């Protein structure tokens, strides 16, 4: 894939000099509330059984079956097109960072559920990097247990890229998460790795977008919309979801507004089958599209009565 032509703002900021200022919109990402996730009404007017979940922290698709997976404050959920929402994680952990690294192989971070075995074993309730090889049902520690809370994770080019919210460090592993290289300190809301270049990374910060062409060791600011979430796909390109719930796409070197989802952003996913965005407009709403034009609400959370 050819790299997009991106307009740069003047030089003058690198690594730790990119200051993180949490805006009101992005601050809403951290809100925790118990919600009921239900599918939109079916053709016969009957809503399938609801499944209690909490705030969405991540979206990804398992390539083995193409099913959307949703990482939340209250566990990992599987959302097939033709069946009920199912919590597949055995425990109701708080999955903050989440990415699919391969068939049935998931990577995550966050916090163990209170009272779980993992909670009892850790001195600090920080997962570091954990791994599931059974599609998210059970999880095992990989590295940095009790030390790191990745709020952004991406598996690409055989590497794992992670933003540690406890220290502001961008860490990169070239051995599937066993050992890590501290590349820089930069406060990140989300990160996206160029599908064609493992050293080309774009991140969202409270001051705007920033770009690295050396694997995250140094940074320079970019022109672009104030997106909170980013995702980069080899065929569909680079997309963003801003603090008002507006979806943007980089097209020919300039950002274009694609869709107004209207709500506080929660997560964005661009995958082989299309695009999915999650926002909170008083309840969590997930919308999907195949071509970026026609969007449909496929899931909506409703408060418990």
């Amino acid at each position: 894939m050819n790299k997009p032509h991106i307009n740069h703002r003047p030089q003058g900021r690198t690594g730790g000099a990119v200051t993180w200022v949490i805006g009101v919109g992005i601050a809403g990402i951290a809100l925790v509330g118990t919600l009921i996730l239900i599918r939109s009404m079916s053709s016969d007017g009957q809503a399938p059984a609801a499944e209690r979940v909490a705030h969405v922290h991540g979206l990804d698709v398992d390539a083995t079956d193409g099913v959307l997976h949703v990482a939340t404050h209250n566990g990992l959920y599987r959302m097939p097109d033709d069946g009920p929402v199912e919590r597949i994680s055995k425990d109701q952990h708080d999955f903050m960072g989440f990415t699919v690294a391969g068939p049935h192989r998931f990577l995550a971070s966050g916090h163990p559920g209170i009272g779980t075995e993992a909670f009892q074993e850790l001195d600090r309730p920080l997962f570091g990097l954990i791994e599931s090889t059974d599609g998210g049902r059970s999880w095992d520690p990989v590295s940095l247990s009790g030390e790191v809370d990745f709020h952004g994770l991406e598996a690409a080019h055989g590497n794992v890229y992670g933003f540690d919210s406890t220290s502001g460090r961008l860490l990169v592993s070239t051995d599937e998460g066993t050992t890590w290289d501290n590349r820089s300190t930069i406060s990140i809301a989300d990160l996206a790795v160029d599908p064609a270049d493992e050293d080309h990374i774009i991140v969202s910060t409270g001051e705007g977008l920033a770009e690295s062409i050396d694997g995250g060791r140094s940074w320079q600011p970019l022109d672009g919309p104030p997106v909170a979430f980013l995702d980069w796909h080899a065929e569909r390109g680079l997309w963003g979801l801003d603090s008002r719930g507006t979806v943007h796409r980089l097209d020919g070197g300039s950002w274009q507004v694609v869709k107004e989802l209207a709500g506080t952003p929660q997560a964005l996913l661009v995958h082989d089958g299309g695009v999915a965005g999650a926002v909170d407009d008083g309840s969590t709403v997930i919308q999907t599209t195949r071509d970026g034009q026609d969007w449909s609400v496929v899931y909506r959370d409703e408060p418990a009565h």
Side-chain angles (χ1 to χ4, degrees):
M1 185 186 97
N2 294 328
K3 294 182 185 178
H5 175 73
I6 302 174
N7 295 323
H8 295 262
R9 294 199 294 270
Q11 299 286 334
R13 292 189 298 172
T14 60
V18 182
T19 304
W20 176 238
V21 179
I22 301 178
V24 173
I26 296 178
I29 299 169
L31 291 176
V32 174
T34 300
L35 304 167
I36 297 294
L37 181 61
I38 63 173
R39 187 184 307 276
S40 300
M41 297 299 287
S42 60
S43 58
D44 62 1
Q46 299 298 314
E51 183 60 70
R52 185 177 297 273
V53 299
H55 195 82
V56 173
H57 295 308
L59 303 168
D60 212 336
V61 167
D62 187 346
T64 58
D65 56 15
V67 171
L68 181 67
H69 287 67
V70 180
T72 79
H73 175 73
N74 206 32
L76 179 67
Y77 290 80
R78 185 176 184 272
M79 300 183 178
D81 293 334
D82 56 355
V85 174
E86 172 193 10
R87 180 168 63 84
I88 56 175
S89 57
K90 181 179 65 175
D91 295 311
Q92 291 180 296
H93 299 312
D94 181 3
F95 292 98
M96 297 300 299
F98 173 69
T99 187
V100 174
H104 297 303
R105 180 171 179 258
F106 300 167
L107 299 175
S109 190
H111 314 282
I114 295 175
T116 63
E117 182 178 347
F119 183 85
Q120 301 296 333
E121 290 176 348
L122 290 172
D123 292 333
R124 299 174 67 202
L126 305 175
F127 267 136
L129 184 72
I130 56 176
E131 175 188 51
S132 174
T133 56
D134 58 6
R137 288 168 175 78
S138 61
W139 296 83
D140 296 307
V142 178
S143 60
L144 305 176
S145 298
E147 301 177 34
V148 164
D149 179 15
F150 288 118
H151 278 202
L153 275 175
E154 183 161 350
H157 305 288
N159 302 332
V160 184
Y161 303 76
F163 167 63
D164 174 24
S165 66
T166 66
S167 66
R169 297 175 299 164
L170 177 71
L171 304 177
V172 180
S173 173
T174 60
D175 57 7
E176 300 185 333
T178 302
T179 61
W180 296 85
D181 179 23
N182 179 10
R183 296 287 174 87
S184 60
T185 299
I186 172 173
S187 294
I188 294 172
D190 200 11
L191 70 157
V193 180
D194 188 337
D197 183 352
E198 65 181 287
D199 288 327
H200 188 202
I201 308 169
I202 294 178
V203 299
S204 56
T205 81
E207 292 187 347
L209 298 176
E211 177 189 45
S212 174
I213 59 173
D214 58 6
R217 295 172 179 85
S218 63
W219 299 90
Q220 57 184 339
L222 296 178
D223 287 327
V227 297
F229 293 100
L230 293 161
D231 205 9
W232 208 335
H233 186 267
E235 302 298 330
R236 300 181 186 273
L238 181 63
W239 295 60
L241 179 64
D242 73 20
S243 59
R244 295 178 296 180
T246 303
V247 179
H248 304 260
R249 179 172 62 88
L250 188 64
D251 183 13
S254 63
W255 287 90
Q256 307 295 324
V257 172
V258 177
K259 176 69 175 179
E260 300 278 352
L261 298 185
T264 303
Q266 295 190 36
L268 177 69
L269 171 68
V270 187
H271 59 103
D272 290 347
V275 181
V279 298
D280 181 357
D281 66 355
S283 61
T284 294
V285 181
I286 299 177
Q287 296 191 45
T288 62
T289 178
R290 290 189 179 275
D291 58 7
Q293 300 301 314
D294 299 318
W295 293 70
S296 59
V297 175
V298 291
Y299 301 101
R300 178 181 292 275
D301 290 346
E302 299 292 351
H305 296 294

